[in-house]
Amino acid sequence: MIYYKSAEQIELLRAAGKIVHDTLCMLETWIKPGMNSLKLDELAEEYIRSQNAVPSFKGYGGFPATLCISRNEEIVHGIPSKSTYLLDGDIVSIDCGALLKGYHGDHARTYAVGNVSPEKQRLMDVTRQCLVLGIEKAVIGNHLSDIGHAIQTYAESQGYSVVRELVGHGIGQRLHEDPQVPNYGKAGRGIILKEGLVIAIEPMVNMGKVGVRTLSDGWTIVTRDRKPSAHFEHTIAITKKGPNILTSGK
Ligand code: MG
Ligand code: MG
């Protein structure tokens, strides 16, 4: 069931989204070679709680941390660990959620650690642009699948592939609500987008082939060919004035 949000609810979602945005901005200054991933997680949790919010992911389905930290061939759901350090040349996706006054924000970025290869930089640039193109389709009257179609078309035009097993989602009083928002598909399918729909759009783009697998920790999703993957996500409200990014920090 899809829960369409009122203007008041969208402002509550924006307040939660701002905390997630600000968390990722704060973390950016700590993303450097030698940084410990559990330390990043502690910094994020401390900041979120200082804003009277709660990490959305911690305990969700048993996930043990505030952040998903996924490096290189890890696509999403990497677990922060005392034994994991960021290395020069890594790309690292940091996905964060916060719950404030009963509403969730969800936002992810992929960062370069130190000096990354031109190939990895281009993967990040294309994935970020996929998110931009997907958001542009999040307008009243479009079909839901127009978003994924735009993402897939651009990613594949750049020689990359789009993950199928993981998708974007509705978001509100629950972290994951209907509808699912795939990053692929034909245009003109699925529900017609209406005012008040709030969704997390989150392209996951692989440099190599489309296949994925789950590591033995039960969480971390990696590319089957072990080539790098990037991930960007925003929480978006569909409004009469067009797509409104609730995790832009405004
Ligand atoms: Mg997320
Ligand atoms: Mg999400």
Side-chain angles (χ1 to χ4, degrees):
M1 169 167 182
I2 297 174
Y3 299 96
Y4 293 91
K5 276 75 179 182
S6 66
E8 293 75 22
Q9 289 177 308
I10 287 172
E11 290 316 306
L12 288 163
L13 285 158
R14 189 191 313 283
K18 182 170 184 348
I19 291 172
V20 184
H21 169 271
D22 291 350
T23 303
L24 291 195
C25 288
M26 178 275 292
L27 290 177
E28 190 154 8
T29 62
W30 292 90
I31 308 267
K32 50 186 91 166
M35 184 63 187
N36 180 263
S37 76
L38 191 62
K39 177 71 182 168
L40 286 174
D41 196 73
E42 289 166 1
L43 287 164
E45 179 169 4
E46 189 181 310
Y47 180 76
I48 289 168
R49 294 194 189 279
S50 79
Q51 302 302 301
N52 300 313
V54 176
S56 299
F57 300 169
K58 202 164 193 178
Y60 186 87
F63 190 76
T66 293
L67 302 174
C68 297
I69 301 182
S70 310
R71 297 163 302 148
N72 303 318
E73 75 276 12
E74 297 169 356
I75 304 167
V76 286
H77 302 168
I79 303 173
S81 157
K82 207 160 98 178
S83 60
T84 303
Y85 292 84
L86 303 184
L87 302 177
D88 188 45
D90 282 350
I91 58 171
V92 60
S93 156
I94 299 195
D95 194 349
C96 183
L99 174 68
L100 178 72
K101 296 180 183 166
Y103 290 84
H104 291 277
D106 192 2
H107 177 36
R109 301 180 195 170
T110 300
Y111 301 88
V113 182
N115 296 303
V116 301
S117 68
E119 292 78 16
K120 282 180 169 175
Q121 185 60 52
R122 193 171 83 84
L123 175 68
M124 289 192 292
D125 293 344
V126 167
T127 308
R128 191 189 296 107
Q129 182 64 13
C130 283
L131 177 56
V132 170
L133 295 171
I135 291 170
E136 280 178 9
K137 296 293 181 186
V139 296
I140 294 171
N142 272 357
H143 285 267
L144 182 67
S145 75
D146 295 346
I147 295 169
H149 181 70
I151 290 169
Q152 181 185 13
T153 301
Y154 184 64
E156 291 181 354
S157 79
Q158 300 301 306
Y160 300 144
S161 56
V162 165
V163 173
R164 305 295 202 273
E165 287 81 355
L166 300 142
V167 295
H169 49 91
I171 179 167
Q173 289 177 283
R174 293 187 186 174
L175 179 61
H176 294 126
E177 297 183 353
D178 289 336
Q180 292 197 343
V181 184
N183 296 301
Y184 60 91
K186 294 195 164 85
R189 306 286 169 92
I191 60 163
I192 304 273
L193 303 179
K194 291 200 307 191
E195 185 179 14
L197 182 66
V198 177
I199 51 176
I201 302 177
E202 50 180 314
M204 288 153 261
V205 176
N206 294 352
M207 188 182 285
K209 295 205 175 86
V210 70
V212 309
R213 65 192 320 154
T214 306
L215 295 186
S216 58
D217 63 18
W219 281 104
T220 312
I221 314 277
V222 298
T223 57
R224 195 168 276 266
D225 62 12
R226 298 298 200 268
K227 289 189 177 167
S229 184
H231 175 219
F232 287 85
E233 175 179 28
H234 270 307
T235 299
I236 308 292
I238 289 161
T239 75
K240 280 194 182 117
K241 293 180 182 166
N244 194 316
I245 303 176
L246 304 179
T247 39
S248 70
K250 292 177 188 141

